[in-house]
Amino acid sequence: MKEYIESGKAVLGIEFGSTRIKAVLIGEDRSPIASGSHDWENSLENGVWTYSLDAIWAGLQDCYAKMAEDVKSRYGAEITSLGAIGFSGMMHGYMAFDKNDELLVPFRTWRNTITEQASEELTELFGYPIPQRWSIAHLYQAMLNGEEHVKDITFMTTLAGYIHWMLSGEKVMGIGEASGMFPIDIETKDFNKCMIAQFDEKAAAYPWKLEDILPKVLLAGDDAGRLTAEGAKLLDPTGKLQPGAPMCPPEGDAGTGMAATNSVRVRTGNISAGTSVFGMVVLEHELKEVHHEIDLVTTPDGNLVGMVHCNNCTSDLNAWVNCFKEFLESLGVDVSMPKIYDAFYYEAEKGDPDCGGLLAYNYFSGEHTTGFEEGRPLFVRKPDNKFSFANFAKVNLYTALGALKAGLDIMLVDEGVKLDRITGHGGLYKTPRVGQQITANAINAPVSVMKTAGEGGAWGIALLADYMISKDDSEPLDEYLENKVFAGNEGSVIDPQPEEVDSFNEFMKRYKTGLTIERAAVDNLR
């Protein structure tokens, strides 16, 4: 392995998640051989969720350095060149730059729910769902607000597109990530030109045309440039990493999740459950109706995908686990976080079918699926409910999937979308069995989890980078993944438990009725 790495054949994928930046290096068999990570958090500044540019670059460099340290520790090797590189990030959001390549306003992340008017007006204008998170909704809301910076925009991108641009000099975007900026024409595999013309009519007072400020759309496998000398120094300030590595199109966490779970083929799907949660199904045809709860995005190779994206999943659960860790530390008990998480998850399996009547909402931020522009984490119970640790753990795992369940039911039940298989990945599935079983019960369908589930999108973008340099002539992405990466391995599969399916449905009735309590908390806790 030392010779393989030092010969510059290893492929690197880095993904900017909401709470962690992760780097995964893959070897000849496309399995992870080293990794590194950097924890970070968004901040709420002037009512906007954001990450500073300093935090972005410091996080990237620390993440890469830890991966390089892991390589040296495991193999005694130094990384001086790479076979290919791919960058991924949390989808959507808004990064607007002027003619001097200066950021005009702080990065507005996917987590913001401040573009309701723009979302509604654009959805009506296009006859196509435009979620609040999408870049075009942020741009149009800034126009509606009369923000001074809009006239000075020369380029608009996402976090993944920004990192790729800075390291390669290329203003490009993978089609999956691009589909979270502006609607894609599935036939042309590019931004929808008819809708661009409609938008330009709305933006006639500005000196730019929308097509001129958007990145170029690329498909999986396309050449997206090479690591420049300046980019190499940004990634590795030690100067050991040399420029020249080919770079694949930057993608969003949705696309990398599809790659990491072998879910790019029609009638397959995946659920990514971490700080946020989304469920995606590759569609056979367009949906019959426009649903504000369902985004229409694409696979990295351009197939239409129905996606239910929810802002909140494990953040509140993580906060409770941290609280329990502090309690243990106050008693002088030193227990690792993984053990505390495992105890929390496994205790949830002992909970009553109705979670003892307990109710919780994990809304750290707004949740468009259920109609909330802001969130208040909330736990509530009646005096006669059965308040036990098992029930408390179970209700917090249930509510982590509550908003997702509400959205997926529209696609799978109301629209009759068909699924051959669905795969789970992300932090919810790190503890074996528990999150997987609860997900199967929630959607009433078998759920598989692969051994690489914990690697998530960083591994997924590494695979997309490897696909670019190693695919056979005209080899489609789904065949590359099926034959060269997964080779028929669908991971461990868990079927839904009929009695627990009923229990989750009963919880959802309580969840939906109790949304008035969440509304009261949002309105009165200021």
Side-chain angles (χ1 to χ4, degrees):
M1 190 63 71
K2 183 176 188 290
E3 182 180 349
Y4 184 83
I5 293 169
E6 292 188 337
S7 67
K9 295 179 181 178
V11 173
L12 176 65
I14 297 181
E15 180 160 278
F16 284 72
S18 301
T19 59
R20 186 174 62 159
I21 305 168
K22 183 163 186 178
V24 168
L25 195 70
I26 63 174
E28 193 169 12
D29 67 353
R30 301 173 179 88
S31 296
I33 56 175
S35 64
S37 65
H38 172 86
D39 293 332
W40 71 337
E41 282 287 351
N42 53 195
S43 57
L44 188 62
E45 297 180 12
N46 300 315
V48 174
W49 290 104
T50 188
Y51 300 85
S52 70
L53 293 185
D54 286 345
I56 290 169
W57 293 114
L60 175 63
Q61 292 167 1
D62 183 55
C63 174
Y64 179 87
K66 288 176 178 174
M67 181 277 300
E69 289 171 11
D70 191 35
V71 166
K72 190 168 186 178
S73 173
R74 287 172 183 253
Y75 312 109
E78 295 274 10
I79 300 174
T80 57
S81 60
L82 292 162
I85 307 176
F87 288 95
S88 172
M90 53 193 114
M91 284 183 76
H92 318 298
Y94 180 71
M95 298 188 81
F97 296 85
D98 65 15
K99 63 183 180 181
N100 298 315
D101 297 339
E102 295 291 331
L103 188 65
L104 288 165
V105 290
F107 169 34
R108 297 172 182 177
T109 79
W110 60 271
R111 196 168 197 171
N112 291 287
T113 50
I114 56 176
T115 62
E116 183 177 7
Q117 182 184 356
S119 172
E120 291 176 353
E121 289 190 15
L122 291 176
T123 297
E124 182 177 355
L125 176 68
F126 298 148
Y128 193 96
I130 304 296
Q132 290 198 47
R133 300 177 304 281
W134 281 25
S135 306
I136 194 63
H138 280 281
L139 173 61
Y140 189 52
Q141 191 66 53
M143 291 163 56
L144 293 174
N145 294 345
E147 295 188 38
E148 183 68 19
H149 80 272
V150 176
K151 64 177 174 49
D152 297 321
I153 297 174
T154 60
F155 181 52
M156 181 174 72
T157 190
T158 65
L159 178 58
Y162 169 65
I163 298 294
H164 184 95
W165 172 35
M166 291 293 101
L167 270 62
S168 70
E170 300 291 336
K171 295 180 178 180
V172 299
M173 187 75 71
I175 192 170
E177 175 77 333
S179 69
M181 294 188 73
F182 192 84
I184 293 291
D185 183 331
I186 295 300
E187 298 302 319
T188 65
K189 309 296 185 187
D190 202 350
F191 292 122
N192 188 299
K193 291 190 181 299
C194 178
M195 294 180 189
I196 284 179
Q198 290 176 295
F199 188 88
D200 281 340
E201 289 184 14
K202 294 280 188 180
Y206 294 96
W208 44 259
K209 295 292 186 182
L210 183 59
E211 191 170 20
D212 295 333
I213 66 171
L214 288 171
K216 180 183 178 182
V217 178
L218 299 176
L219 298 177
D222 286 346
D223 182 356
R226 291 181 175 269
L227 182 68
T228 64
E230 296 80 7
K233 290 178 182 177
L234 274 174
L235 184 57
D236 179 20
T238 69
K240 294 175 183 176
L241 180 63
Q242 299 302 301
M247 296 176 66
C248 72
E251 268 297 349
D253 47 8
T256 58
M258 294 179 214
T261 56
N262 193 20
S263 303
V264 301
R265 185 167 288 174
V266 168
R267 291 178 62 138
T268 65
N270 76 95
I271 291 175
S272 173
T275 304
S276 62
V277 60
F278 51 77
M280 295 179 290
V281 180
V282 186
L283 303 175
E284 296 177 272
H285 48 72
E286 294 190 3
L287 300 180
K288 293 174 284 189
E289 298 180 22
V290 173
H291 303 277
H292 76 85
E293 301 92 345
I294 299 173
D295 297 4
L296 295 175
V297 293
T298 79
T299 62
D301 55 346
N303 287 322
L304 189 64
V305 174
M307 178 171 75
V308 177
H309 185 293
C310 304
N311 289 346
N312 303 281
C313 186
T314 61
S315 289
D316 195 39
L317 188 153
N318 295 342
W320 281 112
V321 170
N322 282 324
C323 185
F324 294 143
K325 178 174 176 58
E326 290 178 8
F327 171 71
L328 290 170
E329 288 173 345
S330 74
L331 297 175
V333 179
D334 184 17
V335 183
S336 69
M337 288 299 286
K339 284 189 175 181
I340 299 174
Y341 272 106
D342 285 350
F344 191 94
Y345 276 60
Y346 289 133
E347 192 67 19
E349 292 185 304
K350 304 173 186 176
D352 296 324
D354 66 346
C355 304
L358 308 182
L359 183 60
Y361 294 97
N362 60 339
Y363 292 7
F364 259 56
S365 60
E367 193 58 79
H368 80 106
T369 306
T370 50
F372 285 85
E373 70 288 343
E374 295 181 51
R376 300 291 184 272
L378 182 67
F379 170 69
V380 62
R381 63 189 176 98
K382 296 189 295 185
D384 59 347
N385 288 148
K386 187 175 179 182
F387 185 29
S388 66
F389 179 38
N391 284 333
F392 179 79
K394 187 171 185 176
V395 77
N396 275 283
L397 282 167
Y398 268 30
T399 202
L401 296 173
L404 178 71
K405 163 74 169 172
L408 278 180
D409 278 354
I410 295 170
M411 187 157 49
L412 300 178
V413 178
D414 299 346
E415 285 275 354
V417 169
K418 302 300 182 185
L419 261 178
D420 292 336
R421 68 167 188 261
I422 195 160
T423 304
H425 65 109
L428 189 71
Y429 306 107
K430 279 194 171 181
T431 297
R433 189 184 67 246
V434 184
Q436 185 179 1
Q437 183 68 72
I438 289 175
T439 304
N441 297 337
I443 66 173
N444 194 20
V447 174
S448 67
V449 170
M450 299 175 181
K451 290 181 180 179
T452 49
E455 303 298 345
W459 183 52
I461 191 64
L463 292 178
L464 291 174
D466 179 78
Y467 172 65
M468 178 186 66
I469 61 170
S470 66
K471 68 181 186 300
D472 296 333
D473 289 343
S474 302
E475 181 182 28
L477 179 60
D478 61 347
E479 290 186 11
Y480 160 84
L481 291 171
E482 189 71 32
N483 300 328
K484 293 183 177 177
V485 180
F486 296 97
N489 176 24
E490 296 183 355
S492 65
V493 180
I494 288 183
D495 293 321
Q497 303 165 315
E499 67 280 6
E500 289 294 327
V501 170
D502 292 339
S503 113
F504 204 102
N505 287 334
E506 285 302 311
F507 164 76
M508 284 303 296
K509 292 178 183 177
R510 189 161 71 249
Y511 180 95
K512 291 177 181 178
T513 300
L515 286 171
T516 55
I517 307 170
E518 176 69 18
R519 172 56 60 193
V522 170
D523 291 344
N524 294 284
L525 287 177
R526 294 290 175 183

